[in-house]
């Protein structure tokens, strides 16, 4: 008598849907996992592999420099000065007998730390200002936009030189100066992206539900504008390293005897006429390859995060 009132799904009453797991299409089950999809994307972007590999190698070497079997980068042996690249000195030795390769590795610690910290300063400050300007508009947008325009009125390198000269030639001041120079780039980008996202229907729905402004900015706007900001951050790292090398070249960065790529090029350029080219080649190649790697890494990340570019 009760057979018609029982569902065939193991005694489940009628009109109760089957478990959600049963409704999953077999096609979705057969899709590759997240890690497989990520690895597939990486394999399809050789630029990402090349740029990421070099940055990983130079970063690991810079971090492990204190424990690596490298000669002291700040002291040398005068009798071994001007040695060309060979078995004893991989990149040769400089005018006071210091190992150029050791100074390149130790100089990477300075350049990479300045790059990451200064870009973080510009990213956090510029993104915050752009979010506020784009979301609230009005006088907030006016004040922030005029401040950004004032920073953009100066060439980036000239502004960094001026700030470092005013604060003093120190590592921390170089980070602050380069970080301030990076603020306008992130502020304008985040403001433009915020203006686009703010007009979406789900933002209006969040306002109608009574969500606080801070929650809307943090949970609904910021996650949707991060992709272009991440790409810009990877590209700005190359500029930050170049700016640090410029400041060190001019004597406004880290002071000797601490090894830096820019200062080593400045101190070695006078010996090019004597054919001691390896003294400049080591730090010069390090700067060029690092900036090149960050640039192609930024391009590949943009291609991955932009669906239109990825489709092409």
């Amino acid at each position: 008598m009760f057979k018609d009132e029982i569902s065939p799904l193991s005694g489940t009453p009628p009109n109760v849907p089957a478990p959600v797991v049963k409704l999953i299409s077999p096609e979705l089950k057969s899709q590759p996992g997240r890690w497989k999809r990520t690895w597939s994307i990486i394999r399809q972007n050789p630029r990402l592999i090349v740029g990421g590999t070099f940055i990983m190698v130079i970063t690991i070497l810079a971090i492990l420099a204190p424990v690596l079997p490298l000669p002291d980068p700040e002291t040398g042996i005068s009798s071994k000065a001007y040695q060309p690249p060979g078995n004893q000195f991989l990149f040769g030795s400089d005018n006071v007998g210091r190992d150029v390769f050791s100074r390149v590795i130790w100089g990477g610690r300075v350049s990479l730390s300045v790059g990451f910290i200064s870009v973080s300063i510009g990213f956090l400050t510029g993104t915050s200002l752009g979010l506020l300007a784009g979301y609230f508009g009005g006088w907030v947008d006016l004040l922030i936009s005029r401040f950004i325009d004032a920073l953009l009125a100066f060439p980036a390198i000239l502004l960094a030189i001026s700030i470092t000269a005013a604060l003093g030639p120190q590592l921390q001041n170089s980070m602050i100066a380069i970080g301030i120079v990076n603020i306008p780039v992130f502020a304008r980008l985040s403001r433009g992206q915020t203006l686009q996202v703010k007009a979406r229907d789900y933002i209006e729905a969040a306002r109608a539900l009574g969500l606080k402004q801070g929650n809307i900015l943090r949970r609904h706007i910021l996650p949707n504008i991060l992709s272009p900001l991440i790409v810009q951050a990877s590209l700005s790292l190359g500029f930050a390293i170049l700016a640090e090398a410029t400041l060190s070249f001019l004597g406004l960065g880290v002071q000797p005897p601490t090894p830096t790529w820019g200062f080593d090029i400045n101190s070695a350029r006078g010996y090019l006429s004597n054919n001691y080219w390896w003294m400049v080649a080591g730090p010069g190649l390090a700067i060029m390859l690092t900036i090149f790697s960050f640039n192609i890494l930024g391009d590949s990340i943009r291609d991955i995060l932009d669906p239109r570019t990825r489709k092409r």
Side-chain angles (χ1 to χ4, degrees):
M1 179 176 61
F2 298 96
K3 290 183 179 180
D4 295 335
E5 299 178 4
I6 301 299
S7 171
L9 293 175
S10 65
T12 304
N15 300 326
V16 175
V20 177
V21 177
K22 300 294 183 179
L23 301 178
I24 297 179
S25 171
E27 297 179 357
L28 295 178
K29 290 184 178 181
S30 62
Q31 287 184 355
R34 179 180 301 177
W35 291 109
K36 291 183 178 180
R37 292 196 300 270
T38 303
W39 176 243
S40 177
I41 292 174
I42 292 175
R43 287 189 303 172
Q44 295 174 4
N45 289 269
R47 293 178 300 171
L48 179 64
I49 298 176
V50 174
T53 300
F54 181 82
I55 293 172
M56 186 181 301
V57 169
I58 191 65
T59 302
I60 292 175
L61 290 176
I63 293 175
L64 299 179
V67 298
L68 292 176
L70 297 173
D72 189 349
E74 298 182 4
T75 59
I77 303 175
S78 57
S79 60
K80 296 183 179 181
Y82 308 114
Q83 295 292 321
N87 295 329
Q88 187 175 5
F89 298 102
L90 184 61
F91 285 3
S93 62
D94 61 6
N95 57 311
V96 294
R98 296 174 299 192
D99 187 10
V100 175
F101 179 75
S102 178
R103 291 187 64 83
V104 168
I105 299 302
W106 279 89
R109 292 173 63 90
V110 175
S111 297
L112 292 174
S113 61
V114 171
F116 283 112
I117 293 177
S118 61
V119 170
S120 298
I121 293 173
F123 181 91
L124 295 175
T125 307
T127 301
S128 301
L129 292 176
L131 275 171
L132 296 176
Y135 183 77
F136 291 104
W139 63 269
V140 177
D141 187 14
L142 181 64
L143 290 178
I144 294 177
S145 297
R146 296 296 78 79
F147 171 70
I148 298 303
D149 291 341
L151 293 179
L152 290 173
F154 299 92
I157 294 295
L158 181 60
L159 180 60
I161 293 173
S162 302
I163 295 174
T164 307
L167 297 177
Q170 294 181 0
L171 178 62
Q172 297 84 349
N173 296 337
S174 299
M175 296 177 181
I176 294 173
I178 300 173
I180 293 175
V181 169
N182 279 296
I183 289 176
V185 179
F186 292 101
R188 298 187 69 178
L189 179 59
S190 60
R191 177 183 178 273
Q193 294 294 319
T194 302
L195 289 174
Q196 295 180 9
V197 175
K198 185 178 70 172
R200 302 289 175 83
D201 293 338
Y202 60 85
I203 301 299
E204 295 296 332
R207 291 173 179 168
L209 291 174
L211 292 183
K212 295 182 179 180
Q213 308 285 7
N215 289 334
I216 295 176
L217 286 171
R218 185 179 67 256
R219 298 175 58 185
H220 298 286
I221 294 183
L222 181 60
N224 289 286
I225 68 172
L226 275 180
S227 295
L229 292 172
I230 292 173
V231 175
Q232 182 59 50
S234 61
L235 295 174
S236 297
L237 282 168
F239 166 78
I241 291 174
L242 180 61
E244 187 278 328
T246 302
L247 294 176
S248 298
F249 183 87
L250 297 175
L252 297 174
V254 181
Q255 298 302 298
T258 303
T260 60
W261 293 342
F263 180 81
D264 285 354
I265 292 177
N266 184 29
S267 60
R269 62 189 177 92
Y271 299 94
L272 285 174
S273 58
N274 297 325
N275 293 326
Y276 299 141
W277 52 269
W278 56 85
M279 296 171 58
V280 177
L285 285 174
I287 294 174
M288 183 192 71
L289 292 176
T290 304
I291 296 175
F292 176 74
S293 299
F294 275 117
N295 287 339
I296 63 175
L297 181 64
D299 290 339
S300 59
I301 293 176
R302 179 192 59 196
D303 295 343
I304 293 173
L305 296 179
D306 188 352
R308 295 168 298 180
T309 306
R310 185 170 65 247
K311 186 176 180 180
R312 291 197 298 266

